[in-house]
Amino acid sequence: MGTTQLETAPEPKYWHLKTVLSEALDSEFSVGEILPNERELAARFGVARATLRQALEQLELEGRLQRRRGVGTTVAPPRVGVAVDPAHHTWPGAPGDDWEPVGAVESQNVPLAVSRLLELAPGEEVHVVHRSRVTHGQPVAAEQLYVPARSVPEAATRTAVDAPARARTVLRELQQLELEGQDRAVELGSARADDAKELDRLPGAPVLVVTTRYFADGRTAAVALSTYRADTCRLTFGDNEADAGVTVLAG
Amino acid sequence: MGTTQLETAPEPKYWHLKTVLSEALDSEFSVGEILPNERELAARFGVARATLRQALEQLELEGRLQRRRGVGTTVAPPRVGVAVDPAHHTWPGAPGDDWEPVGAVESQNVPLAVSRLLELAPGEEVHVVHRSRVTHGQPVAAEQLYVPARSVPEAATRTAVDAPARARTVLRELQQLELEGQDRAVELGSARADDAKELDRLPGAPVLVVTTRYFADGRTAAVALSTYRADTCRLTFGDNEADAGVTVLAG
DNA sequence: TAGTGGTCTAGACCACTAT
DNA sequence: TAGTGGTCTAGACCACTAT
């Protein structure tokens, strides 16, 4: 016989569990259905709760499950396709964009990476416009749009009555400029406490961060940091019409 | 005095730890530097190892740390910008694309979501072309390109000598078609075992999955599933020239 | 107030890397 | 063979939701 030790390393329990649960979700559960609680599931599979949780975490990451503290674990609907990059480039706040202005403040305190993209001088004033995006009644994204005061010298945010009006003032001025181009980058991040609250998630939840640079007057005129829920969103780019409706479950 | 119970909920230990470590990384460590091991760090901060690991996991997710079993934890370099969507649309394998053909097989067994996108008939044959992408000497992505046999009737994969040659045969035939358009979607996933191995990660590692649809002859002629390391990659879209060089650390 | 998922502990052992 | 991160256990208690 000889030693047959060429075998592949044993599969971790949580990995096997994930596979089993995934198949059960496909065949025995429907969207919105509540799973047994974690202590019950762990007992049923004969593993420690921590191990069971490792499997559930992965399935949540893949958009298969939704877990809510105090409530329970449910089968998640397919991810929602959200159009991020329409073929026709426009300023934020242009007609037809899905974002809701929430407020705006003036600040000298912006993330280092943003100040580099905008090539800010030390102490330079920046309007920070806060917007949110809702699809199918669910909050899917929160955005901070950084607009140097130099880009919109006429924006009179202090005279506006309420917060959304202040935001609209900045957006309106921005649209006076000629948009010369834009680009985007997508990366994985974890939700800051404020964004998490707005997205109805816990701090640290995985998010897709889209960085958009808007070019005008030969320089970067504004930068948007948009934070999308990674569990529920599929970001779409290009020719496609809004929701293609089909989700590729990447597991 | 009265009860002052309007206070915000206490910050979890691992969250606070993450903040402390993050600041230490900024000020006291440089890229590539090795951190003390987990048992040592946990002792130093007076927490259980599991709690320390929760903080490290988040920092790794944000691309700040790199952990390797048997080796240790090091400070990660800034994320690499990888161009995903050049302004000029082309077939995969066109001159100038960064992918290396690895192999190709014929299969009737494709992911359900892919077969829906391609509107495959049951049992229809599909070429599965496997490619990999390397940047700065590091593997950053693995791809499965699904091409229905009907799209490339002349592709003679069986006569090709080696695996890369079989892949190139399919790609060459694909380029004979007129590309009418393409679109993309990005979502979070976890690495399958085979992709994980190729990307030098453990199975289940977080990845960004890009689904590309290629249109020709009025239908979807091919679909690519590209799996990018989420810890090391920032996907760029649009006008930007390759690497913008600046990383937005989304934490 | 009961029930849920989230945090945390203090261990043990395993898989892997480098020497 | 020593040292690392990865997996797993069996608990305890906390924050939050809904009744």
Side-chain angles (χ1 to χ4, degrees):
Chain A
M1 311 258 198
T3 51
T4 327
Q5 284 306 73
L6 293 174
E7 279 150 34
T8 172
E11 198 172 52
K13 275 189 189 178
Y14 78 90
W15 187 259
H16 180 241
L17 246 184
K18 185 191 133 182
T19 310
V20 171
L21 283 167
S22 181
E23 285 164 3
L25 290 178
D26 288 334
S27 59
E28 294 164 39
F29 288 86
S30 48
V31 169
E33 207 171 334
I34 303 174
L35 266 63
N37 72 52
E38 296 184 349
R39 290 157 181 88
E40 164 70 23
L41 279 177
R44 193 176 299 185
F45 288 107
V47 299
R49 196 178 149 219
T51 303
L52 186 269
R53 279 178 59 81
Q54 237 179 313
L56 295 184
E57 259 149 42
Q58 287 232 4
L59 290 168
E60 192 181 28
L61 198 82
E62 292 170 18
R64 307 283 312 266
L65 292 178
Q66 195 151 24
R67 298 145 91 205
R68 270 171 306 172
R69 168 149 54 169
V71 179
T73 300
T74 55
V75 180
R79 282 188 176 140
V80 178
V82 282
V84 165
D85 198 71
H88 185 61
H89 288 178
T90 58
W91 287 112
D97 98 3
D98 281 349
W99 294 87
E100 197 63 36
V102 174
V105 296
E106 274 187 88
S107 171
Q108 300 177 7
N109 191 14
V110 306
L112 181 59
V114 171
S115 77
R116 277 201 284 243
L117 289 173
L118 291 170
E119 299 175 83
L120 293 179
E124 194 174 344
E125 282 283 339
V126 177
H127 298 281
V128 185
V129 177
H130 179 201
R131 304 196 299 163
S132 74
R133 187 169 178 171
V134 174
T135 306
H136 303 125
Q138 300 295 325
V140 292
E143 181 181 87
Q144 322 292 136
L145 174 67
Y146 299 91
V147 187
R150 66 172 191 243
S151 293
V152 289
E154 306 294 326
T157 59
R158 297 190 213 277
T159 65
V161 193
D162 64 350
R166 282 195 292 277
R168 280 189 293 269
T169 299
V170 176
L171 294 173
R172 203 157 41 227
E173 287 303 312
L174 203 51
Q175 282 156 34
Q176 304 303 312
L177 302 178
E178 189 193 349
L179 179 61
E180 290 162 357
Q182 67 184 52
D183 65 21
R184 291 203 157 91
V186 179
E187 61 188 311
L188 179 60
S190 53
R192 296 199 322 253
D194 55 347
D195 290 331
K197 191 168 186 187
E198 191 170 338
L199 298 175
D200 194 22
R201 300 258 65 200
L202 290 178
V207 290
L208 297 171
V209 180
V210 179
T211 306
T212 308
R213 296 192 292 175
Y214 297 92
F215 304 115
D217 293 328
R219 65 198 302 182
T220 305
V223 167
L225 283 192
S226 315
T227 299
Y228 290 81
R229 283 184 61 151
D231 56 341
T232 58
C233 293
R234 196 177 84 254
L235 310 185
T236 68
F237 293 79
D239 299 344
N240 46 13
E241 299 301 310
D243 290 15
V246 181
T247 299
V248 172
L249 287 170
Chain B
M1 307 263 201
T3 51
T4 326
Q5 285 306 73
L6 293 175
E7 280 150 32
T8 172
E11 196 173 55
K13 274 189 190 178
Y14 77 90
W15 187 261
H16 180 243
L17 245 185
K18 184 190 134 181
T19 310
V20 171
L21 283 168
S22 181
E23 286 164 2
L25 290 179
D26 288 334
S27 59
E28 294 163 40
F29 288 86
S30 47
V31 168
E33 206 170 333
I34 303 173
L35 266 64
N37 71 53
E38 296 184 349
R39 290 158 181 88
E40 163 70 24
L41 278 175
R44 193 178 299 186
F45 286 108
V47 298
R49 195 177 148 219
T51 303
L52 186 268
R53 279 178 59 81
Q54 237 179 313
L56 295 184
E57 259 149 42
Q58 287 233 4
L59 290 168
E60 191 181 29
L61 199 83
E62 293 170 18
R64 306 282 314 265
L65 292 178
Q66 196 152 24
R67 298 146 89 205
R68 272 170 304 172
R69 167 149 58 168
V71 179
T73 300
T74 54
V75 181
R79 282 186 175 141
V80 179
V82 282
V84 165
D85 199 72
H88 185 60
H89 287 178
T90 57
W91 287 112
D97 98 2
D98 280 350
W99 294 87
E100 198 62 36
V102 174
V105 296
E106 274 186 87
S107 170
Q108 299 177 8
N109 189 14
V110 306
L112 182 59
V114 171
S115 77
R116 278 201 284 244
L117 289 173
L118 291 170
E119 300 174 84
L120 293 179
E124 193 175 344
E125 282 282 340
V126 177
H127 298 281
V128 184
V129 177
H130 179 202
R131 303 197 300 163
S132 73
R133 186 169 179 171
V134 173
T135 307
H136 302 127
Q138 300 295 324
V140 292
E143 181 182 85
Q144 321 293 138
L145 173 68
Y146 299 91
V147 186
R150 66 171 191 244
S151 293
V152 288
E154 306 294 328
T157 59
R158 296 190 214 277
T159 64
V161 194
D162 62 352
R166 283 195 291 278
R168 279 190 293 267
T169 299
V170 177
L171 295 173
R172 203 156 42 225
E173 287 304 311
L174 202 52
Q175 282 156 33
Q176 305 302 311
L177 302 178
E178 190 193 349
L179 180 61
E180 290 163 356
Q182 66 183 51
D183 65 19
R184 291 205 156 90
V186 179
E187 62 189 310
L188 181 59
S190 51
R192 296 198 323 254
D194 54 349
D195 289 332
K197 192 169 184 185
E198 191 170 336
L199 297 175
D200 194 22
R201 299 258 65 199
L202 290 179
V207 290
L208 297 170
V209 180
V210 179
T211 306
T212 308
R213 298 192 291 175
Y214 297 93
F215 304 115
D217 292 329
R219 65 196 303 182
T220 305
V223 167
L225 283 191
S226 316
T227 300
Y228 289 81
R229 284 183 61 151
D231 55 341
T232 57
C233 293
R234 196 176 84 253
L235 309 185
T236 68
F237 293 78
D239 299 344
N240 45 14
E241 299 302 311
D243 290 15
V246 181
T247 301
V248 173
L249 286 171

